[in-house]
């Protein structure tokens, strides 16, 4: 698990079409030491433009916005090589859970439910800013259902794993189950640092942006059984 360094400043861009929601998030985030809201966007297109202009560490992204939605905005941010350091934390509700699968494929680093408490939101921003992925437990359960319904673990998909060592496959499977580095180390009798190294190697070999994308690979290749 990454140590969340509160001494490292985090710059956040808020993207939500409701001004009242943005105001509430701004008030909450800016009462926390080390977190600064650098901009606000009311549409997906504006979120992309401001991400390019401001280069925030984290974009707090709503799914439903007029015009370009949060999923497409996430895809454009994650697909822009100039924004490789920008992470997207998507806020969703039960009626938008169908978008979680697409959001992960688009490059989101994490998802939180909109009814998350203040402490959970602040923790989520710090986790994503530190380069980790974040999936709320309730979303993870629904995510598994989405992958089960859509998964096509064909030979071509499974061939992606050929570049991994046996140990890296084991680690990838545990990442797909939502385990952090400490938990992976305990399960495989490794130190957390060694677990982190295996995760990093798997990410590099598979071309994954972060751990959230490793979850996608684990399910799409059939490495993780529902």
């Amino acid at each position: 698990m990454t140590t969340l360094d509160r001494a490292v400043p985090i710059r956040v861009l808020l993207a939500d079409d409701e001004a009242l929601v943005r105001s509430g998030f701004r008030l909450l985030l800016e009462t926390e030491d080390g977190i600064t809201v650098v901009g606000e966007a009311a549409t997906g297109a504006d979120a992309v433009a401001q991400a390019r202009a401001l280069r925030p560490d984290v974009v707090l992204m709503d799914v439903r916005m007029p015009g370009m939605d949060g999923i497409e905005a996430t895809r454009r941010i994650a697909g822009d090589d100039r924004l490789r350091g920008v992470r997207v934390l998507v806020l969703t509700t039960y009626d938008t859970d169908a978008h979680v699968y697409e959001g992960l494929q688009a490059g989101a680093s994490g998802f939180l439910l909109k009814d998350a408490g203040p402490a959970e939101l602040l923790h989520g921003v710090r986790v994503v800013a530190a380069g980790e992925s974040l999936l709320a437990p309730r979303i993870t359960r629904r995510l598994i259902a989405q992958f089960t319904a859509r998964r096509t673990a064909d030979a071509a998909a499974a061939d992606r794993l050929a570049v991994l060592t046996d140990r890296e496959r084991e680690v990838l499977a545990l990442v797909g189950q939502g385990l952090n580095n400490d938990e992976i180390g305990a399960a495989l009798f490794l130190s957390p640092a060694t677990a982190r190294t295996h995760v990093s190697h798997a990410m590099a070999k598979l071309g994954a942006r972060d751990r959230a994308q490793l979850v996608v690979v684990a399910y799409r290749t059939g490495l993780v059984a529902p």
Side-chain angles (χ1 to χ4, degrees), residues 63-169:
V63 170
R64 290 182 171 176
M65 289 185 285
M68 182 190 300
D69 66 15
I71 301 301
E72 179 59 27
T74 297
R75 181 176 294 107
R76 296 195 186 191
I77 291 171
D80 191 331
D81 286 339
R82 297 168 297 177
L83 302 179
R84 291 191 64 84
V86 178
R87 304 297 180 192
V88 179
L89 177 58
V90 174
L91 291 171
T92 186
T93 55
Y94 279 128
D95 62 340
T96 58
D97 281 340
H99 296 300
V100 174
Y101 179 88
E102 287 83 359
L104 282 174
Q105 285 199 311
S109 293
F111 285 80
L112 274 179
L113 294 169
K114 273 198 165 181
D115 63 358
E120 190 176 358
L121 176 62
L122 291 169
H123 177 72
V125 168
R126 291 191 181 279
V127 167
V128 170
E132 297 288 348
S133 61
L134 182 78
L135 292 171
R138 282 177 290 175
I139 288 181
T140 302
R141 289 195 292 270
R142 290 171 177 265
L143 174 64
I144 290 172
Q146 290 287 331
F147 275 113
T148 302
R150 299 175 183 225
R151 189 179 68 190
T152 54
D154 55 24
D159 283 347
R160 292 192 63 187
L161 303 182
V163 298
L164 302 181
T165 65
D166 290 342
R167 177 63 83 189
E168 287 163 355
R169 286 190 185 215

Side-chain angles (χ1 to χ4, degrees), residues 4-12 32-38 55-58 125-126 129-130:
L4 305 183
D5 187 352
R6 292 175 178 267
V8 178
I10 300 172
R11 304 169 71 252
V12 178
E32 184 77 357
D33 290 340
I35 298 180
T36 303
V37 176
V38 295
R55 307 291 175 90
D57 299 301
V58 177
V125 168
R126 291 191 181 279

Side-chain angles (χ1 to χ4, degrees), residues 13-22 25 40-44 47 60-66 91 114:
L13 170 64
L14 303 175
D16 194 294
D17 63 336
E18 296 185 31
L20 189 59
V21 171
R22 296 197 307 272
F25 284 145
E40 298 183 17
T43 67
L60 198 58
M61 182 83 74
D62 186 28
V63 170
R64 290 182 171 176
M65 289 185 285
L91 291 171
K114 273 198 165 181

